[in-house]
């Protein structure tokens, strides 16, 4: 029942909380909290038709969360994740799968993995 425990843990996290990795290094702050959805379906981003309306063009280029490769996106959507704003990644954000969250204590999110293992936003 690890997933149920993961969902209870992630439900205690709010945006703005500091995130600390397994080595005690501050990764950044929580930017987005997404609970897992076992029924989540990963949707392919539609390709823009040059003749499309402006609204369709904007929608086709909008960033969809999580902004990672499809296989990882499916895992994150099913299990839940955090998006963390950080200076440790060139893109300014990393994702934390819910099952990598060790604890939520003293207003901080503590991870079970080092920051170097966190997938960066694309």
């Amino acid at each position: 029942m690890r997933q149920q425990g993961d969902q209870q843990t992630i439900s205690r996290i709010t945006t703005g909380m500091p995130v600390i990795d397994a080595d005690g290094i501050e990764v950044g702050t929580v930017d987005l909290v997404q609970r897992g959805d076992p029924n989540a379906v990963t949707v392919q981003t539609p390709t823009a038709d040059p003749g499309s309306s402006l609204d369709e063009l904007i929608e086709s280029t909008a960033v969809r969360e999580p902004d990672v490769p499809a296989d990882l996106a499916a895992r994150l959507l099913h299990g839940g994740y955090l998006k963390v704003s950080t200076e440790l990644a060139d893109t300014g954000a990393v994702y934390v799968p819910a099952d990598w969250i060790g604890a939520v204590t003293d207003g901080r999110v503590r991870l079970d993995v080092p920051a170097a293992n966190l997938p960066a936003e694309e």
Side-chain angles (χ1 to χ4, degrees), residues 14-34:
T14 58
T15 57
M17 290 178 98
V19 177
I20 311 300
D21 79 354
D23 299 324
I25 297 168
E26 186 159 340
V27 177
T29 57
V30 176
D31 191 41
L32 173 70
V33 179
Q34 182 63 52

Side-chain angles (χ1 to χ4, degrees), residues 5-6 13-16 27 29 37 40 42-43 47 49 52 56 58 71 76 79 84 91 101 104 108 121:
D6 294 340
I13 299 171
T14 58
T15 57
V27 177
T29 57
D37 178 0
T42 309
V43 179
T47 55
D49 174 1
S52 295
E56 289 171 337
I58 290 169
D71 57 335
L76 294 175
V84 179
T91 57
I101 300 167
V104 180
R108 296 171 173 256
E121 179 177 48

Side-chain angles (χ1 to χ4, degrees), residues 5-87:
D6 294 340
Q7 297 309 306
Q8 289 173 349
T9 299
I10 206 167
S11 69
R12 297 179 23 228
I13 299 171
T14 58
T15 57
M17 290 178 98
V19 177
I20 311 300
D21 79 354
D23 299 324
I25 297 168
E26 186 159 340
V27 177
T29 57
V30 176
D31 191 41
L32 173 70
V33 179
Q34 182 63 52
R35 292 186 67 159
D37 178 0
N39 300 317
V41 176
T42 309
V43 179
Q44 295 291 331
T45 304
T47 55
D49 174 1
S52 295
S53 72
L54 180 58
D55 288 341
E56 289 171 337
L57 181 61
I58 290 169
E59 183 177 322
S60 73
T61 59
V63 174
R64 304 209 193 284
E65 292 290 352
D67 188 11
V68 293
D71 57 335
L72 179 56
R75 177 177 174 227
L76 294 175
L77 290 170
H78 285 272
Y81 65 92
L82 304 177
K83 182 176 181 181
V84 179
S85 297
T86 181
E87 295 180 4

